[in-house]
Amino acid sequence: MAYDKDNIFAKILRGEIPCKKVYEDEHVLAFHDISPQAPIHVLVIPKGAYVSWDDFSQSASEAEIVGFVRAAGRIARDLGVVEPGYRVLANSGADAGQEVPHFHLHIFAGRRLGRMIAPARD
Ligand code: AMP
């Protein structure tokens, strides 16, 4: 899938729409999810134009990948969620329900998060 430069996270990166920023560096921006599914729900996105985890893991530079992974760990530590724990998740593609076509990692924390995957609905 080609990258859509008008997706909502691209607009956030360009400053065209606001976000509640929690972290930013050369490669990464992190902000609170607009519709949180846990007491803490933060999205971590690369600044580069990658559609999905598949695209990012295949096409991003070593510096972008290392920067992203280090930043995600640091953000969780800064949020104070290493204890009692947190979950990271990336939806990639249709079956996973990916809604925004700019790669992002979800960080969930602040309560018992339950089962890793919801029971099948079909
Ligand atoms: P996904 O289903 O993995 O693609 O997740 C997309 C996430 O982006 C959802 O949790 C949405 O609530 C969140 N989201 C959509 N628009 C915004 C926005 N403008 N600011 C912050 N989070 C957003």
Side-chain angles (χ1 to χ4, degrees), residues 8-9 31-35 43 91 97-100 104 106:
I8 195 103
F9 293 170
F31 49 90
H32 291 282
D33 195 290
I34 203 166
S35 182
L43 301 173
N91 293 316
Q98 182 179 358
E99 292 171 3
V100 179
H104 51 281
H106 298 257

Side-chain angles (χ1 to χ4, degrees), residues 77-91:
R77 286 190 294 278
D78 290 350
L79 290 166
V81 298
V82 174
E83 295 292 340
Y86 65 101
R87 178 171 294 159
V88 294
L89 180 149
N91 293 316

